Amino acid sequence: MGKTYIFGHKNPDTDSIVSSIVMTNFEKKLGNTDAVACRLGAINKETEYVLNYVGIEAPELIEDVADGEEIIIVDTANPSELIPNLSNVKIKKIVDHHQVLLNTSYPVFYRAEPVGCTETIMYKLYNEYNIEIDKKIATLMLSAIISDTLLFKSPTCTETDIKAVKELSKIAELDYETYGMDMLKAGTDLSSFTIEQILSLDAKAITLKDKKSVIAQVNTASIPDVMKMKSELESGMNKMIEEQGLDLFMFLITDIVNSNSQVVALGNSASIVEKAYGVKLENNTALLKGVVSRKKQVVPIMTENA
Amino acid sequence: MGKTYIFGHKNPDTDSIVSSIVMTNFEKKLGNTDAVACRLGAINKETEYVLNYVGIEAPELIEDVADGEEIIIVDTANPSELIPNLSNVKIKKIVDHHQVLLNTSYPVFYRAEPVGCTETIMYKLYNEYNIEIDKKIATLMLSAIISDTLLFKSPTCTETDIKAVKELSKIAELDYETYGMDMLKAGTDLSSFTIEQILSLDAKAITLKDKKSVIAQVNTASIPDVMKMKSELESGMNKMIEEQGLDLFMFLITDIVNSNSQVVALGNSASIVEKAYGVKLENNTALLKGVVSRKKQVVPIMTENA
C-alpha cells in the first residue's frame, strides 16, 4: 500500500498544521500505518509556540504529491490552496469548516460543519470512533480552536467550539485562557520577518466578483506597534499589486485583545472597503470596529460591495 | 423562521425518497419543526412498495424552491440533479454517498462517505445524535440500503451497509432477505409504463469525456421479459438521441437475481461499450457479466474508454 499524505492549506495556520498531525494520528489508530503528516508551507510563530509546548516536530514540508497517490485534505476544500495536480491524486477524506470549492469524480469521505475550527470536528470524530485523546492531542486540538476563534471572540466561534475546548482542557490539564492568550501573543511577534514575509504570513488570494484581490491578516496585541511599519508595508503592497495585477490589497491588523482591525487598503478598488464598512480611508487606512474574522466579516461583505 | 425543504435527486429512487423522510424526522427531533420532506419527481414502484409497507405518505412533490429559502440535500451533490436556482437558496446540510459536484460560497454541514447508501450514513447520524430509530424509520432505512446495494450484491456495498441492515432489521422486526427480495421484485414491474417512461425511470445524463450520454437502468428478475420490448425500446432511444443530440444512449437491464446486466447501446459512440467491456454488440446488445452498479461498474470504465 502507498502512503497517505495528509495536509491543510498553503500558508498554513495553527489549525492546518494541527489538523494534519491530529488526522495522521487518527488514521494510524484506524490502522492506516502509512499516513504521513505534511504541510504546504512554513510554520508561523503561533504554531511554533504550540509545537514547542507539546514537544513535537512539525509535519514534513512538501510542494506536491506524485500522480496517483492518496491524500487526505484538512482545513480547506479550496483547490487553489492545495497542490497543483489535485485532480490526478486520489482524495480519500476531507475534513473542513470552510465553503465547498472542490469537485471529485468519485465518492469521498467528506466531513464539514459550519463551526469555528477543523479540530472541533476532529474532536467529534475521535469520540465517534472511540479513539483515545491523549494529553498531547488534546493540547493540539484546543490550541487550534483557540487560534481560529481568537479565544472565542471571533463571530465564527460556536457553542460546539467552546464546549470542545473546555472538555479538552481537562485532558490537557491546562488553564486554556492563560495558555490561549500566551499562544495568541506568540503569534503576534513580527520582529524576525521582512515586510514581504509579513504581508504573506496569512494572505489569501480571493476574487471579489471580478476584482482580483489579496486579503492578508496579522494578529497583534498593539495596533500602533504594527502601524509603525505602515509606509514600508504600503511599498510592499504596491509592489505586489503591480507584480500580480491586483485590483485590491487589503491588509488587516487585528487586535486580539480588543477585537478590532485596522485595515490598510491599496489598489484601484480600495474604495470597496469604504462602501462595505461605511468608513473613510484616510492615508489608505481605517479602523474596522469589531471586525476580526476574514471569513465571516470581510470576505462576504467585500464580495457583496465589489 | 422559514421552512427547510429536504429532498434528493430528480428521478428519485428509494434512497432519495427515504432519505428525505428520514432526514426530515431527524431535523424535527433536533428541534427544526419547519422541516418538510419533498421530492423532485414521481415515486417508482419499488418505493411505492416500501411506503405502502410502512404505511406513510410520499413526500411533497415540488419543482423548485423560492430564492432565499433553506434546503437540505440528500443522496446527491450534483447540481444538475437538483433545483434550477440552487445558487440562490441556502444549503443547510448535505448528506450523500456520491461524488462532490457542487460548490458553496459559505461553510455547510457536509456529510458524505463512500458507502452503498445514504441511509447508512443517516443511521450513523441518528446514533451519534442519540435520536431514537423507531420501527417505521428502521424499515425505511433498511429498504433504501437493500435497494441501493441490490441486497448486498452490488460492488458499491460495504461491510458498514450490511451491518446497518442487520441491526435495523432487529428494530424493524422483519426478515430482511425475504422482505428485500419482495421489495426489489416490486420495483421490476414495468407493466403500467409506456416505453418513454421505462427509458426515463432511472436515467442519468452523463458526459463521458466529451460524449453527451444518457445511461438508463431498470431492474428485472427476468432479462428475456424486458428484451421482448427491445425494438420498441430502440425506437424510443433513437428518438431521444435525435431530440437531445446524444452521442450515446445506454440502457442497462439488470438481473437482480443473477447479478448481470444486458445492455442495449445506440448512438454514434455505442462502440465505447465494446471497448470498455471487451464485448461485441450484436443487434445493439450484449450481456455484461457481473455488472450491476452504474456508479462503480459503468460510469468510470465508460469514461475511461470514451
Side-chain angles (χ1 to χ4, degrees), chain A:
Chain A
M1 199 172 88
K3 290 184 176 175
T4 305
Y5 301 91
I6 302 175
F7 48 84
H9 53 80
K10 291 180 188 169
N11 269 336
D13 57 5
T14 298
D15 189 19
S16 258
I17 297 297
V18 161
S19 291
S20 79
I21 298 168
V22 168
M23 177 54 107
T24 301
N25 181 64
F26 180 79
E27 284 294 299
K28 287 189 169 170
K29 298 281 182 186
L30 290 180
N32 182 1
T33 51
D34 292 315
V36 192
C38 300
R39 61 186 162 99
L40 299 181
I43 298 286
N44 69 29
K45 296 255 172 152
E46 184 193 271
T47 311
E48 196 178 298
Y49 179 91
V50 175
L51 297 178
N52 283 340
Y53 186 94
V54 177
I56 57 170
E57 295 288 312
E60 191 181 325
L61 179 65
I62 60 168
E63 285 190 352
D64 54 21
V65 163
D67 283 0
E69 295 281 5
E70 189 173 270
I71 67 166
I72 292 176
I73 299 168
V74 286
D75 194 33
T76 181
N78 184 347
S80 75
E81 295 185 328
L82 290 161
I83 52 174
N85 60 332
L86 191 65
S87 54
N88 300 331
V89 300
K90 165 86 185 165
I91 303 172
K92 189 183 170 193
K93 294 183 182 177
I94 304 166
V95 180
D96 183 33
H97 67 125
H98 297 88
Q99 58 195 115
V100 183
L101 286 170
L102 61 75
N103 289 342
T104 68
S105 57
Y106 45 85
V108 66
F109 179 103
Y110 199 134
R111 184 69 175 258
E113 295 189 30
V115 290
C117 180
T118 309
E119 284 316 296
T120 303
I121 306 166
M122 285 306 303
Y123 175 60
K124 286 187 179 191
L125 282 168
Y126 269 68
N127 288 332
E128 279 164 32
Y129 286 76
N130 284 315
I131 293 173
E132 191 211 354
I133 298 173
D134 64 22
K135 202 171 163 178
K136 286 188 177 190
I137 294 289
T139 307
L140 290 168
M141 283 179 166
L142 72 81
S143 299
I145 303 172
I146 289 169
S147 166
D148 266 15
T149 64
L150 291 178
L151 241 178
F152 314 150
K153 283 181 188 160
S154 169
T156 57
C157 186
T158 68
E159 286 304 314
T160 319
D161 299 297
I162 298 172
K163 189 163 167 274
V165 168
K166 289 186 175 170
E167 290 172 7
L168 288 163
S169 68
K170 287 176 202 154
I171 306 171
E173 295 178 71
L174 53 72
D175 171 351
Y176 66 83
E177 283 177 321
T178 309
Y179 169 80
M181 193 45 79
D182 288 347
M183 180 199 81
L184 289 173
K185 281 187 179 159
T188 66
D189 175 16
L190 302 174
S191 58
S192 66
F193 297 114
T194 65
I195 290 291
E196 266 188 4
Q197 285 170 332
I198 292 171
L199 291 172
S200 61
L201 279 173
D202 181 12
K204 287 200 190 267
I206 295 170
T207 303
L208 303 167
K209 286 191 185 137
D210 59 344
K211 308 291 192 304
K212 201 176 165 193
S213 312
V214 168
I215 306 181
Q217 187 170 28
V218 291
N219 290 340
T220 185
S222 161
I223 288 173
D225 272 5
V226 183
M227 286 295 276
K228 282 180 194 155
M229 300 181 276
K230 181 165 173 277
S231 62
E232 294 93 325
L233 289 166
E234 286 176 342
S235 302
M237 287 162 71
N238 277 324
K239 196 170 160 229
M240 286 173 72
I241 287 169
E242 200 172 316
E243 283 172 4
Q244 298 177 32
L246 301 179
D247 298 296
L248 172 67
F249 196 122
M250 215 175 149
F251 185 66
L252 294 158
I253 305 158
T254 299
D255 179 339
I256 55 168
V257 182
N258 301 302
S259 301
N260 296 312
S261 289
Q262 187 77 31
V263 63
V264 180
L266 292 175
N268 291 330
S269 298
S271 63
I272 302 171
V273 174
E274 298 187 321
K275 197 176 151 205
Y277 295 97
V279 294
K280 180 92 194 123
L281 289 172
E282 287 181 27
N283 295 318
N284 312 316
T285 185
L287 183 71
L288 307 181
K289 284 192 184 164
V291 172
V292 295
S293 166
R294 177 169 49 195
K295 184 161 84 172
K296 275 218 163 166
Q297 296 173 297
V298 181
V299 174
I301 192 170
M302 287 295 292
T303 304
E304 205 173 290
N305 288 282

Side-chain angles (χ1 to χ4, degrees), chain B residues 47-242:
Chain B
T47 311
E48 196 177 297
Y49 180 90
V50 174
L51 297 179
N52 283 340
Y53 186 94
V54 177
I56 57 169
E57 295 288 313
E60 191 181 324
L61 179 64
I62 59 168
E63 286 190 351
D64 54 22
V65 163
D67 283 1
E69 294 280 4
E70 189 173 89
I71 67 167
I72 291 176
I73 300 167
V74 286
D75 194 33
T76 181
N78 185 346
S80 75
E81 294 185 329
L82 290 161
I83 52 174
N85 59 331
L86 191 64
S87 54
N88 300 332
V89 300
K90 165 86 186 168
I91 303 172
K92 189 184 169 192
K93 294 183 182 176
I94 304 166
V95 180
D96 184 32
H97 66 125
H98 297 89
Q99 58 195 114
V100 183
L101 286 171
L102 61 76
N103 289 343
T104 67
S105 57
Y106 45 85
V108 67
F109 179 104
Y110 199 133
R111 184 70 175 256
E113 295 188 29
V115 291
C117 181
T118 309
E119 283 317 296
T120 304
I121 306 166
M122 285 306 304
Y123 176 59
K124 286 187 178 190
L125 282 170
Y126 269 70
N127 288 333
E128 279 164 32
Y129 286 77
N130 285 313
I131 292 172
E132 191 212 355
I133 298 173
D134 65 22
K135 202 171 165 178
K136 286 188 176 189
I137 294 290
T139 308
L140 289 169
M141 283 179 166
L142 72 80
S143 300
I145 304 172
I146 290 168
S147 166
D148 266 15
T149 64
L150 291 177
L151 241 177
F152 313 151
K153 283 180 186 161
S154 169
T156 58
C157 187
T158 67
E159 285 305 314
T160 319
D161 298 299
I162 297 171
K163 189 163 167 273
V165 167
K166 288 186 175 167
E167 290 171 6
L168 287 164
S169 68
K170 286 176 202 155
I171 305 172
E173 295 178 69
L174 52 72
D175 172 351
Y176 67 83
E177 284 178 321
T178 310
Y179 169 80
M181 194 44 82
D182 288 347
M183 180 199 80
L184 290 172
K185 281 187 178 158
T188 67
D189 175 14
L190 301 174
S191 58
S192 66
F193 297 112
T194 65
I195 290 290
E196 265 187 5
Q197 285 169 332
I198 292 171
L199 291 172
S200 60
L201 279 173
D202 181 14
K204 288 198 191 267
I206 295 170
T207 304
L208 303 168
K209 284 188 186 140
D210 59 344
K211 307 290 192 301
K212 201 177 165 190
S213 311
V214 167
I215 307 181
Q217 186 171 26
V218 290
N219 289 341
T220 184
S222 161
I223 288 174
D225 272 5
V226 183
M227 287 295 277
K228 282 179 194 156
M229 299 182 277
K230 180 165 174 280
S231 63
E232 293 93 326
L233 287 168
E234 287 176 342
S235 303
M237 288 162 71
N238 277 324
K239 197 171 158 228
M240 285 172 72
I241 287 169
E242 201 171 313

